[in-house]
Amino acid sequence: MSTTITRKLGVALSCLSLTCLAAAAAMPDATMTPAGPEMLGFTPRGAAQERDLEQRFDSRLSASEMRAWLKQLSSEPNQVGSPHDKANAEFLLAQFRKWGWNAHIEVFDVLYPTPTQELVEMVGPTSFKATLHEPPVKDDRTSALGGALPAYNVYGADGDVTAPLVYVNYGMAGDYKELARYGISVKGKIVIARYGKGWRGLKPQLAYEHGAVGCLIYSDPRDDGYFNGDSYPNGGWRPPEGIQRGSVMNIGQYPGDPTTPGYGSVPGAKHLPVKDAASILRIPVLPISYADATPLLQALGGPLAPASWRGALPLTYHLGAGPAQVHLMVKSEWSLKPIYDVIAMLKGSTDANEWVIRGNHHDGWVFGAWDPLAGTVALMGEAKALGALHRRGWVPKRTIVYASWDGEEPMLLGSTEWAETHAGELQRKAVLYLNSDTNARGFLSVGGSHSLQHMVNQVAAGVTDPETKVSVQQRERALMEITGAELKASPMDKELARLAAGGGDVPMSALGSGSDYSPFLDHLGLATLHVEFGGEDADAGIYHSRYDSFDHFIRFGDPTFEYEVALAQVAGHIVMRMADAAVLPMRFSDFSATLDRHVKELHEEVDAERKAAQRQHGLLDANAYQLAADPTHPVAPPERLSDVPNVDLAPLDQAAERLQQSVKAYETAYDARAAAGLSIPAGQLREINSLMASMEQRLLAEAGLPGRPWYKNMIQAPGLLTGYAPKTIPAVREALEARNWSGAEQYAVATAKVLDDYRMQLDRITALLTVTRR
């Protein structure tokens, strides 16, 4: 740890306040070596013009306008199929046209089941009927409005089951292993899981795979309720009756309409029968509040739950099964319903066939003020400002496409169907997909294609954080350093802190799924970014509930709307730089360095597996294990780990090393061209940019990831058993986690092949930069 980092951490950790964090971020860093004044992809003159353009753009952003838009858009229930959802799409269309954009609505007919009957009741040993209802809240003006659907989990199966109840903690894979140690099976049972620690759709899916006939998911106050702060309306956290809705579609298979996998749900498209849709769940599932969950959990017997399984409810947590007997019933209306994507375009000048695409969805689960309309109003502010610049004579080099997606909440319906419908055109034309979703007060977070990392850092260094008055990049760097210094910091947090402390670019994260970037990155292989602010709000407590309202947001989200303006600045600057750069602002050394870290992680995982097997084989037998165990915790002997062979990751090592050499050659060629003012003949420049724009497509495998061919990106993807959370080098990593040693070697070869394809295309770009044409 450098003395500079120690100084920053000492300041920040001594008081943990915003002011102190700002001081930490603003301190000069003796180890920092600035990237230089040049703007990636621009000539010095072009960079000066771009900065002037961005200043004019910023001056047209209005927090008060964003506040008014948010109030209007969130004034009525906004779920798919609601009148207000369509009205919002039509309002957005009118605004785009008013601001000078060529805009239209694209309609898709998607399978969207809506509940007609729901019931959760305890029929033994006592009686209790869950309310499944969120009552109005004092001082929340929209919470009493009608028109919202009941709280439910979309794409769960219909069913009517009665069975003993089992508490499964968070309902993730490790929890079922723990239950097995107690000798508890969920076969033929209904499980109750708490939200958190993993994507909700995995909870009923894993329950089904273990033989359960139904699933309840509740929000424990330890995770997003009174354990964290005052409940709404006194504070921002989930009240007793708050219910988290959400999709339980099997996102591991594919997002989008489950009955049109891989192709767009345009009107008239062929739809699979529901029984043949692989991503629809096979058991009934419902979300419930912790007020409704309390009597069910109180009625459970059986062993005490492990300490780490106990939430914050005033009861003793038991595992079951029973004696609580629960009756769960769900009936839905399964039909096609229209969704409305708003697509707006500003046509480019010299490179109109290259598209910069910016998106955010507009549908919510009820009112959706934070999720997603706080992001939508930032997008609207950008579109209005860009339209004003366009009317005053600015024309981007590349075409800019703004999209307001519908149907994101059920599982990325609008974006996926649009991307699948226009797949060929997008892969020919798109140079970037830039996404946002929720947004609130706090820290900048960016994930996506690492070749864009340097450009994003340059943008972030030029945007001022509204509270601390340092750049949003500096504030993000300070947060990473502090997080990495905490006692419970994960290895990833520590690695990010180390990289951030080096004084160069703040590292970006990988992306999994859970928002509209997924079809563009995972399926089409487009350069992709996801940006948002947050971390100092209390919106997690009302996530996907009726209480995600305008009144909650103006108290606990971003009262001044300054972070909506900040998001518009970051996203707008990225859009303009991608649209106007002479050479697309990508730096491939960042991808190469990130790849090296991920390959190193794979080696560390193999070593950890080998050491674990050696320890177990050498030190443990069934008797020793039983003696070491907690005597109050009856367990079965552990399953012996198989020997870990010397998994051969050499193909990945070699591909990563070859890429390093190609990256060095590219940067030498680019630097020479930049020093000469990026003077490149027009035809040659178009060829260079076309190849750069399609670099991410080289990371796709046509066959897709093992068992899920829709996902084709071999470098970053959602994990099969994580849902939203990303897995890097996923085919290899998940084979290792499954102890499929031969599979890991097979996928190492396959991943090395796409990396070589990526490298060879980079070599073509280098050759074009090197050669002089007239």
Side-chain angles (χ1 to χ4, degrees):
M1 182 179 290
S2 73
T3 55
T4 305
I5 301 168
T6 305
R7 188 171 71 251
K8 287 183 179 179
L9 292 175
V11 171
L13 291 174
S14 65
C15 58
L16 294 177
S17 71
L18 284 175
T19 303
C20 293
L21 184 58
M27 282 185 176
D29 191 336
T31 67
M32 188 170 181
T33 54
E38 75 280 357
M39 183 182 291
L40 188 63
F42 288 81
T43 65
R45 180 182 178 185
Q49 293 171 339
E50 178 66 19
R51 290 190 181 95
D52 177 69
L53 183 71
E54 291 172 6
Q55 288 176 359
R56 289 188 283 139
F57 170 87
D58 291 351
S59 71
R60 288 168 168 80
L61 299 173
S62 167
S64 62
E65 283 186 329
M66 294 180 192
R67 180 188 172 102
W69 291 331
L70 185 69
K71 186 174 184 179
Q72 176 175 339
L73 292 169
S74 63
S75 61
E76 296 180 43
N78 190 35
Q79 71 275 3
V80 167
S82 68
H84 194 58
D85 180 49
K86 183 180 180 182
N88 277 350
E90 292 170 343
F91 171 72
L92 287 159
L93 175 67
Q95 294 304 304
F96 278 120
R97 289 176 171 173
K98 176 182 175 182
W99 299 330
W101 294 70
N102 181 5
H104 66 282
I105 288 178
E106 290 194 36
V107 179
F108 297 95
D109 292 335
V110 298
L111 179 69
Y112 183 71
T114 53
T116 58
Q117 287 183 271
E118 297 180 345
L119 175 67
V120 175
E121 60 180 347
M122 183 163 53
V123 296
T126 59
S127 297
F128 166 75
K129 185 175 181 180
T131 64
L132 306 178
H133 174 66
E134 294 174 303
V137 166
K138 181 184 178 183
D139 298 327
D140 189 317
R141 289 165 286 185
T142 57
S143 65
L145 293 180
L149 290 171
Y152 72 111
N153 289 128
V154 69
Y155 299 118
D158 285 357
D160 190 336
V161 295
T162 301
L165 191 67
V166 177
Y167 175 55
V168 296
N169 192 27
Y170 291 107
M172 305 309 286
D175 296 324
Y176 285 96
K177 292 180 180 178
E178 184 73 4
L179 284 173
R181 294 180 64 200
Y182 283 90
I184 295 175
S185 169
V186 302
K187 187 174 182 179
K189 312 296 195 303
I190 294 172
V191 305
I192 182 168
R194 53 175 168 158
Y195 271 113
K197 302 298 183 183
W199 177 60
R200 83 181 69 78
L202 285 170
K203 301 171 189 289
Q205 179 64 31
L206 289 168
Y208 167 72
E209 291 174 2
H210 284 82
V213 297
C215 178
L216 300 173
I217 315 176
Y218 82 101
S219 299
D220 197 286
R222 175 175 286 273
D223 299 304
D224 63 7
Y226 56 71
F227 187 82
N228 300 277
D230 289 327
S231 299
Y232 191 54
N234 296 324
W237 294 92
R238 194 176 301 275
E241 298 84 5
I243 306 175
Q244 184 191 141
R245 296 151 177 82
S247 178
V248 290
M249 182 189 290
N250 187 348
I251 195 176
Q253 291 296 315
Y254 51 85
D257 186 334
T259 60
T260 61
Y263 59 95
S265 295
V266 297
K270 181 180 179 180
H271 290 256
L272 296 175
V274 171
K275 65 180 179 60
D276 296 333
S279 60
I280 293 177
L281 197 66
R282 304 305 179 192
I283 59 172
V285 54
L286 280 178
I288 62 174
S289 66
Y290 62 81
D292 280 341
T294 297
L296 304 180
L297 294 169
Q298 285 175 328
L300 282 176
L304 287 174
S308 62
W309 287 37
R310 301 168 196 169
L313 290 172
L315 54 87
T316 303
Y317 286 72
H318 288 266
L319 299 177
Q325 293 273 331
V326 171
H327 177 205
L328 165 63
M329 186 265 288
V330 181
K331 293 184 180 179
S332 304
E333 187 271 321
W334 295 76
S335 66
L336 301 183
K337 297 177 177 66
I339 57 172
Y340 307 95
D341 288 347
V342 186
I343 309 297
M345 185 175 291
L346 281 181
K347 190 172 182 180
S349 56
T350 58
D351 300 295
N353 283 331
E354 295 178 355
W355 292 1
V356 179
I357 306 170
R358 163 80 171 103
N360 200 106
H361 72 102
H362 62 255
D363 67 295
W365 276 110
V366 187
F367 304 106
W370 171 58
D371 179 11
L373 296 175
T376 293
V377 298
L379 177 146
M380 292 175 70
E382 299 158 33
K384 182 177 181 181
L386 292 172
L389 294 174
H390 190 263
R391 288 194 303 274
R392 290 180 174 269
W394 168 71
V395 180
K397 286 167 57 68
R398 299 178 179 88
T399 294
I400 298 175
V401 179
Y402 267 49
S404 181
W405 310 116
D406 199 0
E408 188 271 357
E409 295 295 2
M411 194 46 68
L412 322 184
L413 302 182
S415 56
T416 299
E417 300 313 313
W418 190 80
E420 290 175 343
T421 299
H422 301 283
E425 186 175 26
L426 290 169
Q427 287 186 315
R428 291 193 306 273
K429 295 180 177 179
V431 302
L432 173 72
Y433 176 70
L434 172 62
N435 191 69
S436 60
D437 196 323
T438 62
N439 195 65
R441 178 171 161 262
F443 303 89
L444 176 65
S445 174
V446 187
S449 302
H450 287 87
S451 58
L452 299 168
Q453 179 172 287
H454 187 58
M455 181 269 292
V456 169
N457 270 265
Q458 289 190 325
V459 167
V463 174
T464 300
D465 179 73
E467 293 185 19
T468 62
K469 307 309 178 186
V470 300
S471 76
V472 297
Q473 183 206 40
Q474 288 174 290
R475 194 173 187 214
E476 185 184 13
R477 185 192 308 281
L479 176 66
M480 284 187 177
E481 293 181 35
I482 292 168
T483 303
E486 293 175 351
L487 293 177
K488 294 184 178 180
S490 68
M492 178 61 71
D493 289 336
K494 293 178 180 178
E495 176 65 8
L496 291 176
R498 183 189 68 79
L499 294 168
D505 287 342
V506 175
M508 287 188 347
S509 62
L511 290 178
S513 190
S515 194
D516 289 306
Y517 54 77
S518 192
F520 302 99
L521 178 66
D522 297 321
H523 188 63
L524 298 183
L526 306 183
T528 299
L529 291 171
H530 177 78
V531 297
E532 63 182 35
F533 285 87
E536 293 186 326
D537 56 313
D539 291 296
I542 46 80
Y543 178 61
H544 285 189
S545 79
R546 171 178 286 272
Y547 309 122
D548 182 3
S549 64
F550 178 78
D551 285 325
H552 186 282
F553 189 80
I554 61 175
R555 292 182 62 195
F556 304 111
D558 181 16
T560 63
F561 283 73
E562 290 176 298
Y563 282 94
E564 276 53 67
V565 172
L567 174 61
Q569 288 178 303
V570 170
H573 294 187
I574 290 172
V575 166
M576 288 186 287
R577 293 194 189 189
M578 291 296 291
D580 278 341
V583 177
L584 287 173
M586 296 176 169
R587 194 171 76 172
F588 301 103
S589 57
D590 296 321
F591 171 75
S592 178
T594 303
L595 174 70
D596 291 344
R597 293 198 301 273
H598 295 328
V599 172
K600 179 183 176 184
E601 290 166 3
L602 294 177
H603 281 284
E604 291 171 347
E605 189 164 334
V606 171
D607 290 343
E609 289 280 3
R610 183 178 296 108
K611 290 175 182 176
Q614 290 171 346
R615 282 196 302 270
Q616 190 193 53
H617 293 178
L619 300 177
L620 292 180
D621 58 29
N623 292 333
Y625 187 87
Q626 187 68 45
L627 288 172
D630 182 346
T632 67
H633 185 162
V635 295
E639 178 184 354
R640 282 204 176 273
L641 299 175
S642 60
D643 289 324
V644 184
N646 186 22
V647 179
D648 184 9
L649 298 179
L652 273 178
D653 297 332
Q654 293 160 6
E657 186 175 348
R658 289 191 292 268
L659 180 58
Q660 286 178 2
Q661 299 307 310
S662 290
V663 163
K664 290 177 182 177
Y666 166 81
E667 293 202 336
T668 298
Y670 175 82
D671 290 345
R673 283 290 193 177
L678 293 176
S679 178
I680 304 171
Q684 188 174 342
L685 184 58
R686 278 194 294 272
E687 190 174 357
I688 289 168
N689 282 325
S690 177
L691 289 169
M692 292 179 76
S694 64
M695 284 292 287
E696 289 283 328
Q697 293 178 45
R698 305 285 74 77
L699 300 176
L700 303 183
E702 184 57 35
L705 295 179
R708 42 186 183 143
W710 189 90
Y711 291 95
K712 299 182 182 298
N713 194 312
M714 299 293 282
I715 303 303
Q716 52 182 315
L720 188 60
L721 293 177
T722 61
Y724 287 171
K727 290 285 186 180
T728 54
I729 316 183
V732 180
R733 191 177 298 275
E734 292 189 328
L736 291 175
E737 291 169 351
R739 307 183 68 77
N740 177 6
W741 314 126
S742 62
E745 293 186 341
Q746 173 189 343
Y747 302 132
V749 172
T751 306
K753 182 182 182 303
V754 301
L755 289 170
D756 280 337
D757 290 343
Y758 184 92
R759 173 185 56 80
M760 287 187 285
Q761 182 151 312
L762 182 59
D763 289 343
R764 291 173 60 192
I765 298 170
T766 302
L768 286 168
L769 285 169
T770 304
V771 70
T772 300
R773 294 182 185 173
R774 294 188 179 275

